[in-house]
C-alpha cells in the first residue's frame, strides 16, 4: 500500500473512532458543547471550514482515481481472458484490481464518514444549544410561576383588605343613615304631634261654635214666638221697633261674647 492510501486508511480509522466516541450515550451534548468551547478548539474552528473543504476535495480526487483504476484493471482482465495469456499475468491483474477496489472502498467510506462526522458535530452543537435554551426557559418559567403565585397571594390579600375596608365603610355609612332616619322620624313625630294638637283645638272650637249656634237658634225661636205673640197684641210700628231693640238687647245680655254681623240675619227664613 502506497503512502497516500495508508494515510487515507488511517484517516478512515480515525473517523470511525471519533464517530463512535461522539455516539456514546453517557456523554451529553452539553458536555460536548463545553469541550467544543475550549480555547484549542476555538483556534481550530477558525480554519475548520477551509480544512473541511480541502479534505473533501482530496477524498473526492482519490475516490475518482480509485474508480479509474478499477475500471482500467477490469477492462485489462477481460482482454487478457480473451487473449488467453498465462496465469501469472492474470494473477497480477487480479492483484491490481483488488488493490484498486480496496482503495475505492477506503476513499468512498472516508468521504462518507467525513460528511457524517461534520453533520454529527453540527447536530450535537445545535442540540446542546437547544438544551441550554430549554433549561433557561424552564428557569424563567419557574421564576415566572413563583412570581405569579406571589402576585396572586398579594392580590388576594389586598382584595381581602379592600373588602374589609368596604364592609367597615358600609357599616359606618349605615350607622350615619340610621341616625339621620331617626332624627327625621323624631322630627316627623313632633310635627305630627303639633298637627294633632292643632286639630284637636280646632275640633274643640268647632264644637263650641256649634253649641253656641244651637243655643242661639233656640233663643231665636223663643224670641220669634214672643215676637208673634207681641205682634198679635200690638199693631203699631213703633212698638215693633221697640220690641226689636229689646230683643237685641236681651240677646246681647245673654250672649255677650257673640258678635252679630247683621240684624237682618235673624229675620231671614231658615236661619
Amino acid at each position: 500500500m502506497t503512502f497516500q492510501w495508508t494515510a487515507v486508511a488511517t484517516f478512515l480509522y480515525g473517523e470511525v473512532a471519533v464517530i463512535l466516541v461522539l455516539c456514546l450515550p453517557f456523554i451529553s451534548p452539553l458536555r460536548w458543547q463545553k469541550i467544543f468551547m475550549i480555547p484549542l478548539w476555538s483556534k481550530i474552528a477558525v480554519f475548520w471550514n477551509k480544512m473541511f473543504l480541502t479534505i473533501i476535495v482530496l477524498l473526492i480526487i482519490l475516490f475518482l482515481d480509485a474508480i479509474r483504476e478499477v475500471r482500467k484493471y477490469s477492462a485489462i482482465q477481460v482482454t487478457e481472458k480473451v487473449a488467453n495469456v498465462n496465469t501469472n499475468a492474470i494473477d497480477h491483474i487480479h492483484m491490481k484490481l483488488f488493490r484498486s477496489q480496496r482503495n475505492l472502498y477506503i476513499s468512498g467510506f472516508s468521504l462518507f464518514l467525513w460528511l457524517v462526522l461534520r453533520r454529527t458535530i453540527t447536530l450535537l452543537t445545535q442540540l446542546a444549544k437547544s438544551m441550554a435554551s430549554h433549561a433557561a426557559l424552564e428557569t424563567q418559567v419557574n421564576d415566572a410561576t413563583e412570581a405569579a403565585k406571589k402576585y396572586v397571594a398579594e392580590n388576594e390579600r389586598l382584595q381581602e383588605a379592600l373588602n374589609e375596608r368596604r364592609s367597615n365603610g358600609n357599616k359606618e355609612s349605615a350607622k350615619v343613615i340610621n341616625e339621620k332616619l331617626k332624627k327625621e322620624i323624631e322630627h316627623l313625630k313632633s310635627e305630627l304631634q303639633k298637627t294633632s294638637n292643632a286639630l284637636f283645638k280646632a275640633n274643640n272650637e268647632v264644637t263650641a261654635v256649634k253649641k253656641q249656634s244651637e243655643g242661639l237658634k233656640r233663643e231665636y225661636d223663643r224670641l220669634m214666638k214672643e215676637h208673634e205673640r207681641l205682634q198679635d197684641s200690638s199693631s203699631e210700628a213703633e212698638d215693633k221697633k221697640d220690641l226689636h231693640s229689646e230683643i237685641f238687647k236681651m240677646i246681647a245680655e245673654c250672649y255677650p261674647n257673640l258678635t252679630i254681623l247683621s240684624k237682618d240675619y235673624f229675620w231671614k227664613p231658615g236661619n
Side-chain angles (χ1 to χ4, degrees):
M1 184 181 292
T2 60
F3 175 75
Q4 61 182 2
W5 292 112
T6 302
V8 173
T10 304
F11 185 73
L12 175 63
Y13 301 150
E15 286 177 335
V16 173
V18 171
I19 290 174
L20 289 176
V21 172
L22 291 175
C23 292
L24 292 176
F26 54 85
I27 301 177
S28 64
L30 293 175
R31 189 176 297 276
W32 283 117
Q33 179 70 14
K34 293 179 180 179
I35 293 172
F36 295 153
M37 294 300 292
I38 60 177
L40 179 62
W41 181 259
S42 299
K43 294 178 181 179
I44 296 173
V46 177
F47 307 98
W48 171 250
N49 292 326
K50 295 180 180 180
M51 183 176 64
F52 175 77
L53 294 175
T54 303
I55 293 174
I56 284 290
V57 171
L58 291 175
L59 290 176
I60 289 174
I61 293 172
L62 293 174
F63 182 70
L64 294 175
D65 183 66
I67 292 174
R68 183 186 62 80
E69 292 290 330
V70 169
R71 292 181 66 182
K72 181 178 76 172
Y73 289 112
S74 297
I76 293 173
Q77 182 183 5
V78 172
T79 304
E80 293 294 333
K81 286 182 179 180
V82 174
N84 293 323
V85 291
N86 57 5
T87 57
N88 292 327
I90 294 175
D91 290 339
H92 182 72
I93 292 170
H94 285 170
M95 182 185 64
K96 292 287 186 181
L97 180 61
F98 171 76
R99 287 178 180 177
S100 61
Q101 289 176 349
R102 180 200 62 192
N103 294 335
L104 176 66
Y105 296 146
I106 290 173
S107 61
F109 278 108
S110 297
L111 179 62
F112 174 72
L113 291 178
W114 183 243
L115 297 174
V116 171
L117 180 63
R118 179 179 173 85
R119 184 61 178 168
T120 303
I121 293 173
T122 303
L123 291 176
L124 285 174
T125 304
Q126 292 178 355
L127 183 60
K129 291 180 180 178
S130 299
M131 292 177 68
S133 63
H134 181 70
L137 288 175
E138 284 185 351
T139 304
Q140 291 179 359
V141 168
N142 292 330
D143 294 339
T145 303
E146 294 295 330
K149 289 181 180 179
K150 291 181 181 179
Y151 291 151
V152 169
E154 186 175 358
N155 189 13
E156 291 179 353
R157 183 173 58 81
L158 292 174
Q159 191 69 27
E160 290 178 357
L162 182 61
N163 292 329
E164 289 179 357
R165 289 182 180 178
R166 286 181 178 176
S167 61
N168 294 329
N170 291 330
K171 290 180 180 178
E172 292 178 357
S173 61
K175 289 181 179 178
V176 173
I177 292 171
N178 290 330
E179 292 294 331
K180 290 182 178 179
L181 290 175
K182 287 180 180 178
K183 290 180 180 179
E184 289 181 359
I185 290 170
E186 294 294 332
H187 179 68
L188 292 174
K189 285 183 178 179
S190 61
E191 292 292 332
L192 181 61
Q193 186 66 32
K194 292 179 180 178
T195 307
S196 298
N197 294 331
L199 181 62
F200 181 74
K201 290 180 180 179
N203 290 328
N204 291 333
E205 291 177 358
V206 170
T207 304
V209 171
K210 285 182 179 180
K211 290 180 179 180
Q212 289 180 359
S213 298
E214 290 177 356
L216 183 60
K217 186 178 181 181
R218 287 193 298 271
E219 188 64 24
Y220 173 75
D221 293 335
R222 187 181 66 78
L223 292 174
M224 286 297 295
K225 291 178 180 179
E226 185 68 22
H227 173 68
E228 290 176 356
R229 185 177 61 79
L230 292 174
Q231 191 177 10
D232 292 336
S233 61
S234 178
S235 58
E236 293 181 359
E238 292 179 355
D239 295 336
K240 290 181 180 179
K241 292 181 181 180
D242 294 335
L243 181 60
H244 286 308
S245 60
E246 290 179 0
I247 290 171
F248 284 112
K249 288 180 182 180
M250 292 176 67
I251 291 171
E253 290 177 358
C254 293
Y255 300 98
N257 294 326
L258 182 59
T259 303
I260 299 173
L261 298 177
S262 177
K263 296 179 180 181
D264 296 333
Y265 173 79
F266 295 99
W267 306 106
K268 290 182 181 180
N271 287 334

